[in-house]
């Protein structure tokens, strides 16, 4: 028994030593705030490859040797992920820093105290820059704004000023603008107009449009068809509006999504889930498993669109509107002219 405890202590010491040695230069996964008890499900929810092979790499990077996928090992990784200190084994490109501040795990309700604890400049001037980088405009240091900054910091998703939150999973205009365009939460029954507003803003690279500006004469964004927008890259893009009574097909919608992503453009797509048979989201890239990454206007939250991007599969969505006798596969896409 004594020998067993000694071995356990030695293993624990080795784990802590490994974590201490690597923490200084580590890049961490975003903090997981869901209620699931599965490390695979938690990684999926964050758009991270949850395969056994990748979990083995993650385990090794976090000092968990001899990974077998047992309950104790998976529980330990989930604990670290919940704390925002699960090390990402993927190396950060040379000269490119982690776009997010480390997750704050303390109990203080003050953003100033939290930033100080992480060695980050907490001055009003710097907080204004941080707020702007996270889609909080007109920063005045109000309680609501500071609470939102603190929430993002605790989640490990507070973007550093000047850093791009768009990984290699994004491209083109999406990579350039997703981190600086604000997420817009829909009102009741305005998912398509809200999704369209966010998609157009990504093309423009600015928060120019709102849900209201996408609604014309009581018909959700129908006049969008054929509109031309000046992209932030200097090119012009024409919108194609294939929704309302447009039926289409699953194959056509998938080809349209793949074409948009290959050009680094967002696309508004019709989807359904167990909770909603008729919904619209913005597809913006691919997740670590090769599936689709999307921004859902029905989510609670704020900040940049990049901070709200989630795996479409993890959110439970499939393409198509399911509240018709025949499924409809509509979309709103953009084409360079």
């Amino acid at each position: 028994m004594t020998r067993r405890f000694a071995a356990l202590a030695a293993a624990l010491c080795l784990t802590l030593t490994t974590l201490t040695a690597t923490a200084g230069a580590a890049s961490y996964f975003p903090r997981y705030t869901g209620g699931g008890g599965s490390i695979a499900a938690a990684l999926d929810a964050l758009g991270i490859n949850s395969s056994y092979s990748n979990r083995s790499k993650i385990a090794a990077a976090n000092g968990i040797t001899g990974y077998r996928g047992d309950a104790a090992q998976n529980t330990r990784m989930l604990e670290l992920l919940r704390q925002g200190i699960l090390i990402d084994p993927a190396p950060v490109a040379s000269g490119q820093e982690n776009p997010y501040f480390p997750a704050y795990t303390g109990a203080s309700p003050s953003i100033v105290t939290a930033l100080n604890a992480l060695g980050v400049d907490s001055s009003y001037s710097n907080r204004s820059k941080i707020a702007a980088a996270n889609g909080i405009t007109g920063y005045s240091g109000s309680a609501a704004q500071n609470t939102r900054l603190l929430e993002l910091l605790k989640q490990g998703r507070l973007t550093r000023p000047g850093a791009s939150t768009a990984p290699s999973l994004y491209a083109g205009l999406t990579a350039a603008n997703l981190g600086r365009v604000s997420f817009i939460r829909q009102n009741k029954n305005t998912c398509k107009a809200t999704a369209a507003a966010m998609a157009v803003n990504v093309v423009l690279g600015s928060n120019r449009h709102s849900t209201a500006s996408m609604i014309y004469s009581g018909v959700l964004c129908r006049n969008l068809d054929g509109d031309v927008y000046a992209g932030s890259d200097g090119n012009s893009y024409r919108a194609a509006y294939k929704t309302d009574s447009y039926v289409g097909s699953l194959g056509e919608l998938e080809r349209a999504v793949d074409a948009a992503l290959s050009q680094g453009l967002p696309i508004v797509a019709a989807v359904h889930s167990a909770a909603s048979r008729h919904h619209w989201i913005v597809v913006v890239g691919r997740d670590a498993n090769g599936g689709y990454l999307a921004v859902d206007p029905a989510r609670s939250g704020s900040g940049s669109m990049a901070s709200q991007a989630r795996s479409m599969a993890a959110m439970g969505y499939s393409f198509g509107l399911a509240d018709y006798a025949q499924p409809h596969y509509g979309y709103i896409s953009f084409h360079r002219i």
Side-chain angles (χ1 to χ4, degrees):
M1 183 65 73
T2 302
R3 193 178 309 147
R4 180 181 174 186
F5 279 122
L8 180 61
L12 180 60
C13 179
L14 178 60
T15 298
L16 292 175
T17 301
T18 303
L19 287 174
T20 302
T22 58
S27 174
Y28 299 102
F29 288 116
R31 185 181 180 189
Y32 174 62
T33 58
S38 162
I39 182 62
L43 291 171
D44 285 340
L46 295 172
I48 300 165
N49 181 359
S50 65
S51 67
Y52 178 86
S53 173
N54 198 49
R55 279 185 282 127
S56 297
K57 296 175 184 177
I58 295 171
N62 286 272
I64 302 172
T65 57
Y67 181 74
R68 302 178 301 281
D70 64 37
Q73 293 171 325
N74 287 338
T75 297
R76 177 58 183 154
M77 285 200 290
L78 185 59
E79 289 173 350
L80 294 172
L81 191 61
R82 288 187 187 280
Q83 296 172 40
I85 54 174
L86 185 67
I87 297 171
D88 182 352
V92 178
S94 177
Q96 179 184 359
E97 66 174 346
N98 186 340
Y100 301 107
F101 290 110
Y104 173 64
T105 57
S108 175
S110 165
I111 183 62
V112 172
T113 301
L115 290 172
N116 287 337
L118 296 172
V120 179
D121 177 7
S122 64
S123 67
Y124 179 84
S125 173
N126 198 49
R127 278 184 283 129
S128 297
K129 296 175 184 177
I130 295 172
N134 287 271
I136 301 173
T137 57
Y139 181 75
S140 61
S142 69
Q145 292 170 328
N146 286 337
T147 296
R148 179 56 187 159
L149 290 176
L150 185 61
E151 288 173 352
L152 292 171
L153 189 61
K154 287 183 174 182
Q155 295 168 19
R157 285 190 167 274
L158 187 66
T159 305
R160 299 174 185 269
S164 170
T165 57
S168 59
L169 302 175
Y170 306 115
L173 287 174
T174 302
N177 298 327
L178 205 68
R180 70 189 203 188
V181 170
S182 297
F183 169 75
I184 307 173
R185 188 180 182 189
Q186 71 176 76
N187 299 316
K188 185 178 180 181
N189 299 326
T190 66
C191 55
K192 182 166 61 173
T194 303
M198 288 192 285
V200 172
N201 286 345
V202 170
V203 173
L204 299 175
S206 66
N207 297 310
R208 190 175 307 172
H209 289 278
S210 64
T211 299
S213 68
M214 282 294 152
I215 299 177
Y216 302 91
S217 304
V219 181
L220 296 182
C221 46
R222 180 174 292 168
N223 289 356
L224 192 69
D225 190 39
D227 278 0
V228 176
Y229 296 95
S232 64
D233 59 356
N235 296 309
S236 295
Y237 295 87
R238 177 175 284 116
Y241 181 82
K242 297 192 174 185
T243 79
D244 298 332
S245 61
Y246 189 81
V247 177
S249 68
L250 176 59
E252 178 189 350
L253 176 53
E254 289 178 333
R255 288 191 295 273
V257 171
D258 290 342
L261 300 185
S262 69
Q263 297 171 60
L265 295 168
I267 181 169
V268 176
V271 296
H272 67 275
S273 68
S276 176
R277 293 169 59 80
H278 186 121
H279 193 48
W280 297 85
I281 61 176
V282 188
V283 183
V284 295
R286 293 190 178 278
D287 61 27
N289 296 315
Y292 296 116
L293 271 175
V295 176
D296 180 5
R299 285 181 58 85
S300 297
S302 58
S304 68
M305 284 184 66
S307 72
Q308 295 294 328
R310 300 288 187 274
S311 165
M312 184 173 136
M315 291 190 289
Y317 289 123
S318 298
F319 285 131
L321 305 178
D323 56 341
Y324 295 91
Q326 178 182 2
H328 284 43
Y329 297 94
Y331 57 93
I332 302 172
S333 58
F334 303 88
H335 305 273
R336 180 176 171 179
I337 55 176

mmCIF file of all heavy atoms in Angstrom, residues 5-6 23 26 45 62 81-82 95 106 119 122-123 155 192 221 229 260 263 274 276 287 290 303 319 332 336:
data_model
loop_
_atom_site.group_PDB
_atom_site.id
_atom_site.type_symbol
_atom_site.label_atom_id
_atom_site.label_comp_id
_atom_site.label_asym_id
_atom_site.label_seq_id
_atom_site.Cartn_x
_atom_site.Cartn_y
_atom_site.Cartn_z
ATOM 1 N N PHE A 5 1.026 4.294 -2.879
ATOM 2 C CA PHE A 5 0.865 5.727 -2.658
ATOM 3 C C PHE A 5 2.098 6.508 -3.092
ATOM 4 O O PHE A 5 2.005 7.610 -3.619
ATOM 5 C CB PHE A 5 0.566 6.013 -1.189
ATOM 6 C CG PHE A 5 -0.880 5.800 -0.843
ATOM 7 C CD1 PHE A 5 -1.246 4.906 0.142
ATOM 8 C CD2 PHE A 5 -1.871 6.482 -1.529
ATOM 9 C CE1 PHE A 5 -2.581 4.711 0.446
ATOM 10 C CE2 PHE A 5 -3.207 6.295 -1.216
ATOM 11 C CZ PHE A 5 -3.575 5.393 -0.225
ATOM 12 N N ALA A 6 3.277 5.911 -2.887
ATOM 13 C CA ALA A 6 4.519 6.574 -3.306
ATOM 14 C C ALA A 6 4.556 6.731 -4.813
ATOM 15 O O ALA A 6 4.953 7.759 -5.351
ATOM 16 C CB ALA A 6 5.729 5.770 -2.822
ATOM 17 N N ALA A 23 3.519 25.469 -19.057
ATOM 18 C CA ALA A 23 2.449 26.471 -18.980
ATOM 19 C C ALA A 23 2.863 27.839 -19.486
ATOM 20 O O ALA A 23 2.067 28.554 -20.067
ATOM 21 C CB ALA A 23 1.955 26.590 -17.538
ATOM 22 N N ALA A 26 2.417 27.995 -23.176
ATOM 23 C CA ALA A 26 1.307 27.203 -23.676
ATOM 24 C C ALA A 26 0.245 28.054 -24.350
ATOM 25 O O ALA A 26 0.050 29.216 -24.035
ATOM 26 C CB ALA A 26 0.676 26.412 -22.535
ATOM 27 N N ALA A 45 -18.253 20.504 -28.750
ATOM 28 C CA ALA A 45 -19.001 21.747 -28.573
ATOM 29 C C ALA A 45 -18.149 22.968 -28.871
ATOM 30 O O ALA A 45 -18.669 24.022 -29.256
ATOM 31 C CB ALA A 45 -19.545 21.826 -27.145
ATOM 32 N N ASN A 62 -0.696 17.776 -21.709
ATOM 33 C CA ASN A 62 -1.113 18.192 -20.381
ATOM 34 C C ASN A 62 -0.585 17.283 -19.274
ATOM 35 O O ASN A 62 -1.117 17.255 -18.162
ATOM 36 C CB ASN A 62 -2.639 18.272 -20.325
ATOM 37 C CG ASN A 62 -3.178 19.477 -21.069
ATOM 38 O OD1 ASN A 62 -3.306 20.554 -20.508
ATOM 39 N ND2 ASN A 62 -3.467 19.303 -22.359
ATOM 40 N N LEU A 81 -10.264 21.696 -19.002
ATOM 41 C CA LEU A 81 -10.987 22.434 -20.037
ATOM 42 C C LEU A 81 -11.996 23.381 -19.409
ATOM 43 O O LEU A 81 -12.186 24.508 -19.878
ATOM 44 C CB LEU A 81 -11.695 21.449 -20.973
ATOM 45 C CG LEU A 81 -12.298 22.025 -22.265
ATOM 46 C CD1 LEU A 81 -11.209 22.640 -23.142
ATOM 47 C CD2 LEU A 81 -13.047 20.940 -23.047
ATOM 48 N N ARG A 82 -12.641 22.970 -18.339
ATOM 49 C CA ARG A 82 -13.599 23.830 -17.647
ATOM 50 C C ARG A 82 -12.901 25.035 -17.014
ATOM 51 O O ARG A 82 -13.486 26.108 -16.872
ATOM 52 C CB ARG A 82 -14.341 23.051 -16.558
ATOM 53 C CG ARG A 82 -15.345 22.042 -17.076
ATOM 54 C CD ARG A 82 -16.141 21.447 -15.919
ATOM 55 N NE ARG A 82 -16.991 20.371 -16.347
ATOM 56 C CZ ARG A 82 -18.171 20.519 -16.937
ATOM 57 N NH1 ARG A 82 -18.622 21.736 -17.178
ATOM 58 N NH2 ARG A 82 -18.903 19.482 -17.287
ATOM 59 N N GLY A 95 5.857 33.540 -34.659
ATOM 60 C CA GLY A 95 5.569 34.965 -34.659
ATOM 61 C C GLY A 95 4.114 35.305 -34.439
ATOM 62 O O GLY A 95 3.733 36.456 -34.450
ATOM 63 N N GLY A 106 -9.968 33.169 -11.211
ATOM 64 C CA GLY A 106 -10.202 33.699 -9.873
ATOM 65 C C GLY A 106 -11.664 34.006 -9.610
ATOM 66 O O GLY A 106 -12.532 33.798 -10.460
ATOM 67 N N GLY A 119 -1.504 39.882 -15.192
ATOM 68 C CA GLY A 119 -0.397 40.721 -15.633
ATOM 69 C C GLY A 119 -0.719 41.539 -16.853
ATOM 70 O O GLY A 119 0.174 41.921 -17.617
ATOM 71 N N SER A 122 -4.544 47.048 -17.019
ATOM 72 C CA SER A 122 -5.975 47.196 -16.732
ATOM 73 C C SER A 122 -6.435 48.653 -16.798
ATOM 74 O O SER A 122 -7.543 48.960 -16.355
ATOM 75 C CB SER A 122 -6.301 46.625 -15.352
ATOM 76 O OG SER A 122 -5.639 47.375 -14.336
ATOM 77 N N SER A 123 -5.607 49.538 -17.333
ATOM 78 C CA SER A 123 -5.983 50.948 -17.407
ATOM 79 C C SER A 123 -7.234 51.128 -18.259
ATOM 80 O O SER A 123 -7.568 50.278 -19.101
ATOM 81 C CB SER A 123 -4.844 51.774 -18.012
ATOM 82 O OG SER A 123 -4.643 51.427 -19.376
ATOM 83 N N GLN A 155 -14.051 32.724 -19.789
ATOM 84 C CA GLN A 155 -14.238 31.674 -20.784
ATOM 85 C C GLN A 155 -12.978 31.430 -21.613
ATOM 86 O O GLN A 155 -12.926 30.484 -22.405
ATOM 87 C CB GLN A 155 -15.382 32.049 -21.725
ATOM 88 C CG GLN A 155 -16.740 32.121 -21.078
ATOM 89 C CD GLN A 155 -17.770 32.763 -21.981
ATOM 90 O OE1 GLN A 155 -17.590 32.854 -23.199
ATOM 91 N NE2 GLN A 155 -18.871 33.209 -21.398
ATOM 92 N N LYS A 192 -33.538 34.958 -40.132
ATOM 93 C CA LYS A 192 -32.976 35.138 -41.470
ATOM 94 C C LYS A 192 -32.436 36.549 -41.666
ATOM 95 O O LYS A 192 -31.330 36.732 -42.192
ATOM 96 C CB LYS A 192 -34.011 34.804 -42.542
ATOM 97 C CG LYS A 192 -33.452 34.931 -43.962
ATOM 98 C CD LYS A 192 -34.349 34.277 -45.009
ATOM 99 C CE LYS A 192 -35.714 34.883 -45.080
ATOM 100 N NZ LYS A 192 -36.520 34.362 -46.202
ATOM 101 N N CYS A 221 -35.626 40.647 -45.821
ATOM 102 C CA CYS A 221 -34.462 40.806 -46.704
ATOM 103 C C CYS A 221 -34.648 40.329 -48.144
ATOM 104 O O CYS A 221 -33.705 39.944 -48.799
ATOM 105 C CB CYS A 221 -33.212 40.153 -46.093
ATOM 106 S SG CYS A 221 -33.403 38.512 -45.422
ATOM 107 N N TYR A 229 -22.209 44.796 -52.885
ATOM 108 C CA TYR A 229 -21.528 45.319 -51.700
ATOM 109 C C TYR A 229 -20.031 45.440 -51.971
ATOM 110 O O TYR A 229 -19.432 44.570 -52.620
ATOM 111 C CB TYR A 229 -21.755 44.398 -50.501
ATOM 112 C CG TYR A 229 -23.202 44.316 -50.093
ATOM 113 C CD1 TYR A 229 -24.016 43.293 -50.570
ATOM 114 C CD2 TYR A 229 -23.761 45.275 -49.269
ATOM 115 C CE1 TYR A 229 -25.352 43.224 -50.229
ATOM 116 C CE2 TYR A 229 -25.102 45.218 -48.912
ATOM 117 C CZ TYR A 229 -25.895 44.191 -49.393
ATOM 118 O OH TYR A 229 -27.217 44.142 -49.051
ATOM 119 N N ALA A 260 -18.755 28.880 -51.198
ATOM 120 C CA ALA A 260 -18.560 30.105 -50.425
ATOM 121 C C ALA A 260 -17.335 29.989 -49.524
ATOM 122 O O ALA A 260 -16.492 30.897 -49.484
ATOM 123 C CB ALA A 260 -19.809 30.391 -49.587
ATOM 124 N N GLN A 263 -13.994 30.292 -51.136
ATOM 125 C CA GLN A 263 -13.653 31.662 -51.515
ATOM 126 C C GLN A 263 -13.502 32.577 -50.303
ATOM 127 O O GLN A 263 -13.311 33.793 -50.462
ATOM 128 C CB GLN A 263 -14.742 32.213 -52.443
ATOM 129 C CG GLN A 263 -14.876 31.450 -53.754
ATOM 130 C CD GLN A 263 -16.109 31.882 -54.541
ATOM 131 O OE1 GLN A 263 -16.239 33.041 -54.905
ATOM 132 N NE2 GLN A 263 -17.012 30.961 -54.788
ATOM 133 N N ALA A 274 -33.726 19.448 -33.753
ATOM 134 C CA ALA A 274 -34.804 18.838 -32.976
ATOM 135 C C ALA A 274 -35.661 19.906 -32.316
ATOM 136 O O ALA A 274 -36.854 19.712 -32.080
ATOM 137 C CB ALA A 274 -34.210 17.910 -31.919
ATOM 138 N N SER A 276 -35.970 23.197 -33.524
ATOM 139 C CA SER A 276 -36.518 24.161 -34.481
ATOM 140 C C SER A 276 -36.525 23.559 -35.880
ATOM 141 O O SER A 276 -35.481 23.159 -36.392
ATOM 142 C CB SER A 276 -35.698 25.451 -34.477
ATOM 143 O OG SER A 276 -36.163 26.347 -35.470
ATOM 144 N N ASP A 287 -14.860 23.189 -39.003
ATOM 145 C CA ASP A 287 -14.321 22.896 -37.688
ATOM 146 C C ASP A 287 -13.147 21.925 -37.817
ATOM 147 O O ASP A 287 -12.751 21.539 -38.928
ATOM 148 C CB ASP A 287 -15.407 22.357 -36.749
ATOM 149 C CG ASP A 287 -16.029 21.052 -37.234
ATOM 150 O OD1 ASP A 287 -15.350 20.280 -37.957
ATOM 151 O OD2 ASP A 287 -17.193 20.787 -36.876
ATOM 152 N N GLY A 290 -13.549 18.853 -39.965
ATOM 153 C CA GLY A 290 -13.923 19.013 -41.364
ATOM 154 C C GLY A 290 -15.387 19.361 -41.547
ATOM 155 O O GLY A 290 -15.847 19.528 -42.675
ATOM 156 N N GLY A 303 -20.321 40.176 -28.223
ATOM 157 C CA GLY A 303 -18.936 40.110 -28.649
ATOM 158 C C GLY A 303 -18.833 39.954 -30.150
ATOM 159 O O GLY A 303 -19.769 40.248 -30.897
ATOM 160 N N PHE A 319 -28.899 20.709 -42.607
ATOM 161 C CA PHE A 319 -29.356 21.624 -43.643
ATOM 162 C C PHE A 319 -30.826 21.382 -44.006
ATOM 163 O O PHE A 319 -31.293 20.239 -44.039
ATOM 164 C CB PHE A 319 -28.497 21.494 -44.893
ATOM 165 C CG PHE A 319 -27.144 22.133 -44.777
ATOM 166 C CD1 PHE A 319 -25.996 21.441 -45.147
ATOM 167 C CD2 PHE A 319 -27.011 23.433 -44.309
ATOM 168 C CE1 PHE A 319 -24.742 22.024 -45.054
ATOM 169 C CE2 PHE A 319 -25.769 24.032 -44.212
ATOM 170 C CZ PHE A 319 -24.631 23.320 -44.582
ATOM 171 N N ILE A 332 -28.501 32.361 -48.843
ATOM 172 C CA ILE A 332 -28.140 33.697 -49.334
ATOM 173 C C ILE A 332 -26.634 33.699 -49.479
ATOM 174 O O ILE A 332 -25.905 33.548 -48.494
ATOM 175 C CB ILE A 332 -28.575 34.806 -48.363
ATOM 176 C CG1 ILE A 332 -30.081 34.747 -48.124
ATOM 177 C CG2 ILE A 332 -28.171 36.181 -48.897
ATOM 178 C CD1 ILE A 332 -30.563 35.688 -47.022
ATOM 179 N N ARG A 336 -18.266 37.265 -56.169
ATOM 180 C CA ARG A 336 -17.398 38.358 -56.626
ATOM 181 C C ARG A 336 -17.731 38.717 -58.062
ATOM 182 O O ARG A 336 -17.936 37.848 -58.909
ATOM 183 C CB ARG A 336 -15.942 37.945 -56.513
ATOM 184 C CG ARG A 336 -14.954 39.002 -56.949
ATOM 185 C CD ARG A 336 -13.523 38.534 -56.713
ATOM 186 N NE ARG A 336 -12.550 39.430 -57.314
ATOM 187 C CZ ARG A 336 -11.238 39.248 -57.237
ATOM 188 N NH1 ARG A 336 -10.761 38.199 -56.584
ATOM 189 N NH2 ARG A 336 -10.425 40.095 -57.820
#
